[in-house]
Structures are given as structure tokens and as C-alpha cells.
């Protein structure tokens, strides 16, 4: 399972980033290729001028395309998600998130703008094709404490909420993988059946030797 994190805070030491780091560390062993796109490290001019052909932008877009699961971390800024995250989401092709399981992770100064994830972020994810958007994990600044070495560390109740969300995420992603496998098998079967079906559809193409009579 390929899991990608997108870190949308402009801050180098980031509370929402600590939620993402926690989720990524808990997923070790499940994820075949846990990687993070730190949007603030992408070239600013390429982001703001929408330079799709910049090698680092192309690489980031390819990583999104290859992921089955996307964790999106953002701070709440001005009652919405960060503008930095939006500058990256705007570069994604239409349907970039179709078929992927998406888990939003966010932090805010208080719970006052918790609904920003529902009215601001989810519609954008949905416009990008995401249909499997899990309930976000949101923490206030008071629930992310300063840590000597880690920068920030979520409190135990936040850790428990992240774990619960990840369990749902793993179950859903596995279920999705199984349904994709079944769809691939079905497509393969249909592809093998198609020549015969086409022949039956047009009786003029039936070779005489293939005609079987039954009485
Ligand atoms: C420019 C700016 C705007 C903010 N706007 C909001 C807001 O509207 N609502 C809120 O709850 N917190 C707001 N905050 C607080 C941040 O969401 C909060 O500190 C968050 O945890 C920062 O996450 P980060 O460290 O990952 O950047 C704002 C902070 C900044 C710097």
C-alpha cells in the first residue's frame, strides 16, 4: 500500500506536521512507501506561477498519482485550510484523488473553525475526485505540546484519535485494494470474452465450423 503525506503548513516546526509525522510513524510496516511532500519545500515560484513542468512539481504530482492513500495535513488559517496547501492542490490534475482514500489532519488555535474542514477542505478534495474521505483528525494547539526533541508532540488523547482513524484507513484501503483486484480480474475476463461476443453480435462473421446445432 503506497501512502503519501502532504504537509501543508508554511511553518518549519509545525503542529499539524506533528500529526502527520505521528500518523506516518504509526503506519510503518503497513505502508510500502511512506513519503511526505512538504509543500513549503517546493520551489515557491513554480508553485505560484503554476509551472507544471518544473521537475520538482512533476515529481510531486507523480507521487500523488502513485499513492493509494493520501494523508493531508494543514493548519487552520483564517477559518479555512492554508493557502500554501491550496497552491499545491491547484496544481493537481482533475480527478487526481479519484480512487484514493484520503485522511485530513488539522490543527487550529481553538475548535472555533473546526468546521472549516467540512466546508472548505472536503469540497476541494471531492472536486479532485476523492470519494473516500475519512473523518478528519483535528487537534487544538493546547492538545499539541512542545517537545524537547520532536518539536511538537500530540497529547495521548490525540494519539488515540489518530490511531482510531488509521485503523479505519487501513481497513478501507485494504477493502479498496480487494475491490480493485476483483475489477481487474473481471476486466481481464471480459477482454477474453469480447472477441466471441463480437462474433455472436454479427452473425455474418460466424464461421460455419463454429455453428453448433441443438435440437
Ligand atoms: C495566519 C494565521 C491564521 C490563523 N487563523 C486561525 C483561524 O482562523 N482559526 C484557528 O482556529 N486558528 C488559526 N490560527 C492558528 C493555527 O491554526 C494554529 O496555531 C495551528 O496549530 C498552526 O499549525 P502549524 O504549526 O502546523 O502551522 C492561525 C494562525 C496563523 C499563523
Amino acid at each position: 500500500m503506497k501512502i503519501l503525506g502532504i504537509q501543508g503548513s508554511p511553518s518549519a516546526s509545525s503542529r499539524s506536521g506533528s500529526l502527520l509525522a505521528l500518523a506516518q510513524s504509526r503506519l510503518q510496516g503497513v505502508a510500502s512507501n511512506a513519503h511526505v511532500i512538504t509543500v513549503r519545500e517546493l520551489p515557491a515560484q513554480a508553485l505560484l506561477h503554476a509551472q507544471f513542468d518544473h521537475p520538482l512539481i512533476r515529481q510531486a504530482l507523480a507521487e500523488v498519482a502513485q499513492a493509494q492513500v493520501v494523508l493531508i495535513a494543514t493548519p487552520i488559517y483564517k477559518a479555512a485550510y492554508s493557502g500554501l496547501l491550496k497552491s499545491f492542490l491547484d496544481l493537481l490534475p482533475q480527478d487526481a484523488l479519484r480512487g484514493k482514500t484520503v485522511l485530513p489532519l488539522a490543527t487550529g488555535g481553538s475548535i472555533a473553525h473546526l468546521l472549516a474542514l467540512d466546508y472548505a477542505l472536503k469540497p476541494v478534495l471531492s472536486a479532485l475526485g476523492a470519494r473516500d474521505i475519512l473523518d478528519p483528525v483535528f487537534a487544538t494547539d493546547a492538545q499539541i505540546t512542545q517537545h524537547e526533541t520532536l518539536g511538537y508532540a500530540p497529547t495521548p488523547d490525540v494519539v488515540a484519535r489518530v490511531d482510531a482513524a488509521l485503523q479505519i484507513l487501513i481497513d478501507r484501503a485494504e477493502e479498496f485494494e480487494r475491490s480493485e483486484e476483483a475489477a481487474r480480474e473481471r476486466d481481464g475476463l471480459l477482454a477474453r470474452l469480447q472477441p466471441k461476443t463480437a462474433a455472436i453480435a454479427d452473425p455474418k462473421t460466424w464461421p460455419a465450423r463454429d455453428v453448433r446445432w441443438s435440437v
Side-chain angles (χ1 to χ4, degrees):
M1 188 190 309
K2 281 191 180 162
I3 300 182
L4 175 71
I6 299 176
Q7 150 64 309
S9 171
S11 302
S13 176
S14 156
R15 287 184 166 92
S16 55
S18 76
L19 282 187
L20 181 59
L22 170 70
Q24 296 272 45
S25 70
R26 304 298 249 202
L27 285 168
Q28 265 173 16
V30 180
S32 60
N33 187 6
H35 189 68
V36 177
I37 295 171
T38 305
V39 183
R40 73 187 290 276
E41 288 173 3
L42 291 175
Q45 175 153 338
L47 269 182
L48 295 180
H49 292 196
Q51 290 169 355
F52 296 94
D53 57 345
H54 190 290
L56 293 177
I57 300 291
R58 280 222 306 264
Q59 186 186 328
L61 300 185
E63 280 167 8
V64 174
Q66 286 156 16
Q68 286 146 313
V69 171
V70 183
L71 312 175
I72 298 187
T74 180
I76 302 294
Y77 273 7
K78 311 289 190 218
Y81 55 95
S82 74
L84 181 70
L85 177 61
K86 183 73 160 79
S87 69
F88 180 67
L89 295 180
D90 285 351
L91 297 184
L92 293 177
Q94 203 178 356
D95 272 358
L97 297 179
R98 188 166 297 280
K100 302 181 196 300
T101 300
V102 181
L103 173 63
L105 304 164
T107 58
S110 73
I111 57 162
H113 295 129
L114 168 61
L115 284 179
L117 299 169
D118 287 319
Y119 64 68
L121 183 60
K122 279 190 183 175
V124 177
L125 302 178
S126 174
L128 287 167
R131 295 293 174 267
D132 194 20
I133 306 169
L134 303 193
D135 288 342
V137 178
F138 175 88
T140 61
D141 285 357
Q143 293 172 319
I144 311 272
T145 54
Q146 203 112 32
H147 190 277
E148 270 174 31
T149 48
L150 297 176
Y152 288 111
T155 53
D157 66 309
V158 178
V159 175
R161 285 195 284 124
V162 168
D163 279 349
L166 293 180
Q167 191 52 58
I168 297 171
L169 179 128
I170 291 164
D171 292 348
R172 291 270 270 273
E174 283 176 353
E175 191 182 310
F176 181 72
E177 224 166 282
R178 278 197 298 275
S179 69
E180 284 286 282
E181 182 68 44
R184 274 196 297 275
E185 271 176 30
R186 199 181 50 231
D187 288 350
L189 197 65
L190 279 175
R192 287 202 296 279
L193 285 175
Q194 246 151 25
K196 279 188 189 162
T197 318
I200 290 166
D202 179 4
K204 290 193 295 296
T205 66
W206 291 358
R209 67 175 180 281
D210 283 354
V211 177
R212 300 278 182 275
W213 300 102
S214 68
V215 282

